[in-house]
Amino acid sequence: MWSNTFRYFIKHRWIVLSCAVLFLYLLPYYALGGDTHIRVHDNLDSNIVWYKMLAESGQIFAGPDATLPNVINGLPRSALPSALDGVLWLHVWFGPMSAYIISQTIMRIGAFFGMYLLLSRFVIPENKRKWITAGVSLSFAMLPFWPSGVLTVAGLPLAFYLFLTIRKKGKQTPRYIWLALAVIPFFSNFILTFIFFLGIMGALWLVEWIRKKQFNAPFFIAIAGMTMLYVVKNYLLIYTMFIDSSFTSHREENDLGHKDISETIELFEKNFLYGHTHDEAIQTPYVILVIIAALFIAMLRGGYPTRLVLMFSSIPVLSLWYAFWYWEGLRLLKDNMGLFNSFNFARIHFFDPMLWYLCFALALVIIARQVKGSQLIAAVLIVMQCWNVYQLKEETKYGEFNTPTFNEFYSTELFDQIQAYIGEDPSEYRVVSVAMHPTIPQYNGFYTLDTYNNTYPLEYKHKFREVIAPELEKSPKLKNYYDTWGGRAYVYSSELGKKYMFKKSSDKTIEELLINTQALKGLGGEYVLAGLPIENYEEIGLSLEKSFETEDSPWRIYLYSVK
């Protein structure tokens, strides 16, 4: 038995070694739990709280007309994930932090094995140096993916592997391939990436049908089947978009894309070199330099690496498309066709990380073949890139920036004290936050009038604007931010801009906050939770009740009541 185990280990040593590194990568989550430093943007400030609220609401299976009363006096059920969302059930069964850890584990394992299988079976099947395949897959699996996306970006290589396998094997496709295909939709986002993925697969199937005059039934079933799974999973979204005419989303007023040509080119350069915050590939400097070097070497030796050229050329095309989506010249199209205004077609740039690492693998194979002593060079390059992305694991990255841990961010003990001081059931009053993300009170059971959501009623956006209108007039930048997007219905301060986290060690104050407290009162607002002291609170009709802080919390919260 031991000899068989040893032989298995030797045969798959690079996979085993990569999994050991992934174990170390994930270890801080399991060791620290709620004391782990994790990303705030589009994570702690939003998705985690959305899942928690829904998991505790008792309305998981409620219809699209139902509302959650603890947000904006009734957040539509359709604004939150559907009952078929896999991450939602992780929150139901395990709680927020444990669900987050499990999601991270699914993401990293799916990313590694998806990229490994795609490379070894379809992209570089002729490569005998499995350490290249494993090393590139490992570096891809450790990228700082958007945490709440799970397999949205990280799972794209796996999806390509599954579909290409079905396309190739047809009726001989193993059952586990179909099972994996059926699982992906429940841990990924259709709107962000898989609508484009299925479009590409559909186009490939159609072209082959026309050219070869052969109807590849299994491939078609895979495309149609995954599409139907996404449609069923997103039944709430489908209902509000195509059936419920009474709901008008705040996204109808989206007015994004006013960059001039120089700003557009600058955005192209930024995306090509550094990526988007939700799909960073960490391609600068090593990956880009390796790809360029491989192209130069191949052509110098008289070759033409067609696959590498095609894949690499697609990346600047996607970056250019992403940048020009925000060019002012496209406003004519967006202003006259609602679909182009409310749906972001530039999101196909989420394919960038996969493409960068497919190119990285192809480039390393070229270097390892055509340069003397190059295997050592290729190995060093892989180690350098792996170290480059390993250092960006959340505990290291956000710990260095001194951002709050999971437990510190939500500071449940601190907000329990505030609730105890108020002395009423949270459902009996409404609060707003200043100099603080409103999802922090939401996480702690407060009923908030401010929020951050992907969609909510346009009518409420207008009502809430009356509260913050005086402050928006002081800042054209914030006014444009709210009026042209409005996803963050926050009580803004022109003095703070888009900064929403201030620790108790800060000596900053808000000298002049101008809000319409009568409009706030009209929405039911009775308290303001401020992360900084408001100097002119009496002038705007507020009364300072008390400040709260605890030893373990980074915040000091000032509680104001609305007169």
Side-chain angles (χ1 to χ4, degrees):
M1 183 183 72
W2 289 108
S3 60
N4 291 335
T5 303
F6 181 73
R7 282 196 295 269
Y8 183 85
F9 174 80
I10 294 299
K11 182 180 179 181
H12 301 286
R13 59 190 179 278
W14 300 116
I15 294 178
V16 174
L17 179 60
S18 297
C19 289
V21 175
L22 276 182
F23 171 78
L24 294 175
Y25 183 94
L26 292 166
L27 185 59
Y29 296 113
Y30 289 91
L32 299 173
D35 292 323
T36 309
H37 294 87
I38 65 176
R39 172 176 170 145
V40 173
H41 178 63
D42 282 351
N43 195 40
L44 283 171
D45 70 349
S46 50
N47 295 75
I48 290 175
V49 180
W50 300 343
Y51 281 119
K52 179 181 183 291
M53 285 194 306
L54 183 54
E56 297 174 351
S57 68
Q59 299 198 57
I60 292 177
F61 295 102
D65 295 330
T67 60
L68 277 72
N70 44 327
V71 182
I72 64 170
N73 286 329
L75 180 69
R77 172 65 185 85
S78 58
L80 297 173
S82 82
L84 300 177
D85 189 288
V87 179
L88 169 61
W89 288 102
L90 294 181
H91 279 258
V92 172
W93 295 328
F94 303 105
M97 190 61 207
S98 295
Y100 188 81
I101 295 170
I102 296 170
S103 295
Q104 280 287 329
T105 305
I106 294 171
M107 179 193 299
R108 305 300 166 182
I109 292 174
F112 173 76
F113 284 101
M115 180 60 77
Y116 188 90
L117 290 167
L118 181 61
L119 287 173
S120 60
R121 303 292 173 82
F122 293 102
V123 181
I124 47 174
E126 73 283 358
N127 174 49
K128 303 302 180 183
R129 304 171 182 88
K130 294 302 179 184
W131 52 271
I132 292 180
T133 305
V136 171
S137 301
L138 177 61
S139 57
F140 175 77
M142 295 189 293
L143 286 176
F145 297 113
W146 172 47
S148 299
V150 194
L151 297 179
T152 299
V153 178
L156 283 173
L158 177 60
F160 270 100
Y161 163 73
L162 296 174
F163 274 78
L164 293 178
T165 299
I166 294 170
R167 169 176 170 262
K168 180 180 179 181
K169 294 191 174 184
K171 295 180 180 179
Q172 305 303 317
T173 302
R175 290 182 180 179
Y176 69 85
I177 297 290
W178 291 101
L179 178 61
L181 182 149
V183 169
I184 288 178
F186 301 100
F187 291 92
S188 59
N189 190 299
F190 179 61
I191 298 299
L192 292 184
T193 57
F194 276 85
I195 189 172
F196 301 107
F197 170 81
L198 290 167
I200 293 170
M201 291 296 100
L204 176 61
W205 172 84
L206 183 61
V207 168
E208 289 187 337
W209 184 29
I210 294 172
R211 284 185 176 180
K212 298 180 180 180
K213 307 299 182 183
Q214 292 181 346
F215 187 90
N216 190 332
F219 192 30
F220 175 80
I221 292 171
I223 298 166
M226 179 175 268
T227 302
M228 286 306 301
L229 283 175
Y230 276 115
V231 169
V232 172
K233 177 198 171 186
N234 293 284
Y235 64 92
L236 291 172
L237 177 64
I238 301 297
Y239 178 84
T240 55
M241 285 182 63
F242 301 108
I243 301 175
D244 185 11
S245 59
S246 64
F247 176 77
T248 303
S249 171
H250 83 282
R251 299 176 69 89
E252 291 295 320
E253 285 190 345
N254 277 8
D255 190 22
L256 304 176
H258 292 276
K259 294 183 181 296
D260 59 30
I261 194 65
S262 62
E263 292 172 324
T264 302
I265 297 301
E266 183 181 348
L267 182 59
F268 159 73
E269 294 173 353
K270 181 180 178 181
N271 189 75
F272 179 74
L273 294 174
Y274 305 106
H276 183 274
T277 181
H278 287 164
D279 66 0
E280 293 175 284
I282 318 301
Q283 66 270 33
T284 305
Y286 303 129
V287 173
I288 291 180
L289 292 178
V290 168
I291 294 170
I292 294 174
L295 288 170
F296 179 76
I297 291 168
M299 293 180 182
L300 193 65
R301 297 293 178 89
Y304 187 80
T306 305
R307 285 179 298 173
L308 179 56
V309 170
L310 290 175
M311 286 190 185
F312 184 50
S313 61
S314 69
I315 298 173
V317 170
L318 292 182
S319 293
L320 198 64
W321 170 242
Y322 165 71
F324 270 87
W325 184 255
Y326 296 97
W327 175 50
E328 59 187 2
L330 284 182
R331 280 308 325 167
L332 180 63
L333 178 65
K334 294 177 181 178
D335 291 339
N336 289 281
M337 299 186 69
L339 176 63
F340 289 92
N341 194 49
S342 57
F343 182 80
N344 189 344
F345 284 89
R347 283 174 174 159
I348 195 172
H349 69 80
F350 283 111
F351 282 66
D352 283 349
M354 180 188 68
L355 291 170
W356 277 115
Y357 283 82
L358 292 177
C359 292
F360 188 40
L362 287 167
L364 287 169
V365 169
I366 291 172
I367 292 173
R369 282 178 181 170
Q370 302 198 22
V371 180
K372 188 177 181 179
S374 57
Q375 290 197 41
L376 178 60
I377 296 173
V380 169
L381 290 170
I382 288 174
V383 171
M384 290 171 65
Q385 182 61 13
C386 282
W387 178 245
N388 200 23
V389 294
Y390 182 86
Q391 296 179 91
L392 295 176
K393 64 180 185 293
E394 288 190 295
E395 176 59 29
T396 302
K397 179 180 179 180
Y398 297 109
E400 289 178 353
F401 291 151
N402 199 28
T403 57
T405 64
F406 181 95
N407 287 339
E408 289 174 338
F409 186 81
Y410 295 120
S411 294
T412 55
E413 181 184 349
L414 175 64
F415 284 88
D416 285 345
Q417 290 184 11
I418 298 173
Q419 282 192 12
Y421 175 84
I422 294 174
E424 299 178 66
D425 188 280
S427 63
E428 298 299 320
Y429 57 89
R430 301 292 184 268
V431 305
V432 293
S433 302
V434 179
M436 179 173 61
H437 290 288
T439 43
I440 298 177
Q442 286 175 8
Y443 184 95
N444 286 284
F446 284 88
Y447 283 51
T448 71
L449 296 173
D450 44 356
T451 193
Y452 173 24
N453 281 99
N454 289 326
T455 183
Y456 63 91
L458 178 61
E459 181 184 6
Y460 188 83
K461 178 187 176 183
H462 295 161
K463 289 180 179 179
F464 190 77
R465 195 190 189 285
E466 296 178 17
V467 177
I468 61 176
E471 195 67 23
L472 293 182
E473 292 302 317
K474 293 164 57 180
S475 172
K477 187 174 182 180
L478 288 175
K479 181 180 180 181
N480 179 71
Y481 183 62
Y482 186 80
D483 289 343
T484 64
W485 181 56
R488 294 186 188 270
Y490 282 21
V491 177
Y492 296 102
S493 164
S494 59
E495 299 168 33
L496 307 178
K498 298 179 186 178
K499 296 179 181 178
Y500 318 112
M501 293 196 303
F502 297 88
K503 295 187 176 182
K504 58 188 176 186
S505 57
S506 174
D507 58 0
K508 191 172 184 60
T509 65
I510 301 175
E511 295 182 6
E512 182 189 57
L513 179 71
L514 297 183
I515 59 173
N516 184 339
T517 47
Q518 291 301 313
L520 177 61
K521 194 75 174 178
L523 290 176
E526 295 185 39
Y527 294 98
V528 174
L529 303 173
L532 293 172
I534 303 170
E535 299 287 355
N536 68 323
Y537 68 88
E538 290 184 326
E539 298 174 19
I540 57 175
L542 300 179
S543 176
L544 177 61
E545 295 286 337
K546 187 180 178 181
S547 64
F548 298 82
E549 62 180 284
T550 63
E551 183 179 350
D552 296 331
S553 173
W555 319 126
R556 179 184 295 117
I557 305 300
Y558 297 85
L559 177 65
Y560 298 91
S561 58
V562 181
K563 293 180 182 179

